[in-house]
Amino acid sequence: MDPQQLKHALGAGLLSFPVTAFDDRGRFSPDPYKKHISWLSGFDASALFAAGGTGEMFSLLPDEIPMIVAAAKEAAGDTPIVAGCGYGTEMAVQVARSAEKAGADGILLLPHYLIDAPQAGLYAHVKAVCDSVDIGVMVYNRDNAVLQPDTLARLADVCPNLVGFKDGTGDIGLVRQVTATLGDRLTYLGGMPTAELFAEAYLGAGFTTYSSAVFNFVPGLAVDFYNALRKGNHETCRTYLTDFFYPFMAIRNRQKGYAVSAIKAGVRLQGFDAGPVRPPLTDLTDEEMGLMEALIAPYKS
């Protein structure tokens, strides 16, 4: 997909990050994964992100990522597939190239590994990844990889395939400065954990869309919330927040890493053999699985 086509697709609707299915030995399990992707692609998401944060990219081997991308492309029909990418610069370039070769329509560049870096280093890192591929690239601003508006503007000037900015900082002042500085040069994606909790604030800061993790297991609800948000139906949004998203947040906040583990639990409860999470994450307890089952019961397909 041409980078500008991807930019348009990213801003055209809701986005989501499918979990990565593993078997009981922790290996990538392509058939259940493709079944889940095929189900998700029947709902109204404008792009799906394979091997992203919710897809446990941090626990994947670099050579597993193109396998996952290829499986997603096979199952997704016309839905664009964006590949997760990260780690240090040399590894990120290698992952980006292998994902492009596997058919990815774009790259999401997650934070590099461990250490903080100055703006000059972040600039060189992002530019190297953009220069290594022809497909569109999005940067994910969070943790130890927070691009300042002037750095991002410099990158936008020299990287024509840099088409998206995803924020996970929660710093509304910073993201509003980014959208004011860059204007329509990029597509802006909300990327806080359980993004629906922040969606109204991000919409006010100039963002048009966000990535919904719960789309993994309650896609109809996720789409309904997104549509209500875009129509300014605040009462419907409030109802979904109080009936579903805040109770889900309470489960998610019980342990570190449950922002991924609880999503995978929901996928299993919907009947997909997604398998366990990989260490260092842990799965929900039986009690917590019961809470999840009660929460999603009204939305089970």
Side-chain angles (χ1 to χ4, degrees):
M1 179 176 281
D2 175 86
Q4 292 306 309
Q5 291 176 313
L6 179 65
K7 178 187 173 186
H8 175 76
L10 291 171
L14 187 63
L15 310 169
S16 190
F17 287 64
V19 300
T20 301
F22 300 126
D23 64 19
D24 56 5
R25 294 174 60 186
R27 301 169 303 188
F28 173 53
S29 190
D31 289 341
Y33 180 71
K34 288 188 284 188
K35 183 178 179 182
H36 182 226
I37 292 283
S38 179
W39 181 62
L40 293 179
S41 65
F43 293 86
D44 192 15
S46 59
L48 296 174
F49 289 66
T54 308
E56 299 179 69
M57 193 209 79
F58 46 83
S59 70
L60 298 173
L61 293 169
D63 61 2
E64 288 180 305
I65 294 174
M67 296 167 50
I68 294 165
V69 168
K73 285 293 292 182
E74 181 180 340
D78 294 332
T79 304
I81 296 295
V82 177
C85 175
Y87 310 109
T89 303
E90 294 304 315
M91 191 180 296
V93 165
Q94 181 186 59
V95 169
R97 286 173 173 165
S98 66
E100 180 179 35
K101 187 175 181 180
D105 297 294
I107 298 294
L108 175 67
L109 182 57
L110 280 79
H112 59 278
Y113 175 71
L114 187 60
I115 195 166
D116 288 324
Q119 290 297 298
L122 293 176
Y123 174 91
H125 178 67
V126 175
K127 186 176 185 301
V129 173
C130 288
D131 289 347
S132 72
V133 294
D134 294 323
I135 53 179
V137 176
M138 286 138 281
V139 292
Y140 194 177
N141 239 39
R142 65 178 293 172
D143 299 327
N144 62 333
V146 177
L147 294 160
Q148 295 301 311
D150 59 338
T151 306
L152 190 62
R154 289 173 55 220
L155 284 163
D157 286 341
V158 298
C159 301
N161 62 332
L162 179 63
V163 298
F165 173 86
K166 182 180 180 184
D167 183 73
T169 68
D171 185 340
I172 294 297
L174 174 63
V175 299
R176 183 64 186 108
Q177 187 177 358
V178 167
T179 59
T181 301
L182 276 295
D184 62 3
R185 171 62 182 82
L186 301 175
T187 292
Y188 303 101
L189 295 67
M192 293 290 289
T194 315
E196 286 85 356
L197 300 174
F198 307 89
E200 291 171 293
Y202 272 79
L203 187 67
F207 281 50
T208 57
T209 189
Y210 55 87
S211 56
S212 172
V214 303
F215 184 90
N216 266 280
F217 62 95
V218 284
L221 180 154
V223 170
D224 287 348
F225 180 91
Y226 175 81
N227 288 337
L229 175 74
R230 297 298 296 162
K231 293 175 182 176
N233 191 333
H234 300 295
E235 184 59 28
T236 298
C237 290
R238 185 194 66 80
T239 298
Y240 278 129
L241 287 169
T242 55
D243 290 353
F244 179 86
F245 288 105
Y246 291 136
F248 174 76
M249 179 182 69
I251 298 171
R252 183 202 72 187
N253 288 348
R254 283 180 160 227
Q255 292 287 348
K256 291 184 181 296
Y258 271 15
V260 174
S261 302
I263 298 300
K264 205 162 201 181
V267 174
R268 292 196 300 270
L269 288 169
Q270 281 285 24
F272 294 95
D273 187 15
V277 294
R278 278 181 174 174
L281 298 183
T282 59
D283 283 302
L284 274 62
T285 65
D286 290 343
E287 176 196 359
E288 290 160 347
M289 288 295 289
L291 294 173
M292 282 290 295
E293 187 165 21
L295 179 63
I296 71 173
Y299 312 102
K300 290 194 74 170
S301 59

